[in-house]
Amino acid sequence: PAAIAAVRTTDVGGTPYGAALAMTKAAIEKDIRDHTDQDNMYMVFFVSDGAPTDVTAESALRAAVNSIIRLKPPGRIALS
């Protein structure tokens, strides 16, 4: 359909990747602090409708993702 084609061909930004990743990290850190007696697994699915608006350097985005993956407990956080 034409509506889907229009969405797929227009990428004008509008997604604050940096803010989303920072909020994700803060939420996981809080959960780890609040539930020290649990061995939780965190699965993060990042879905976007456009290009990043607040962080555009790929190295900065990779650093933000890696800082989430490296949170303790090791190996208990997955991003997709």
Side-chain angles (χ1 to χ4, degrees), residues 15-34:
T15 305
Y17 283 25
L21 292 169
M23 289 175 68
T24 299
K25 182 178 180 184
I28 293 172
E29 288 173 327
K30 181 180 182 329
D31 192 71
I32 290 170
R33 277 192 315 272
D34 291 350

Side-chain angles (χ1 to χ4, degrees), residues 25-65:
K25 182 178 180 184
I28 293 172
E29 288 173 327
K30 181 180 182 329
D31 192 71
I32 290 170
R33 277 192 315 272
D34 291 350
H35 304 283
T36 57
D37 59 330
Q38 297 177 10
D39 189 23
N40 293 325
M41 175 84 176
Y42 302 92
M43 300 184 78
V44 179
F45 296 89
F46 192 87
V47 179
S48 171
D49 63 348
T53 56
D54 58 347
V55 178
T56 56
E58 184 177 338
S59 60
L61 291 170
R62 285 187 186 277
V65 168

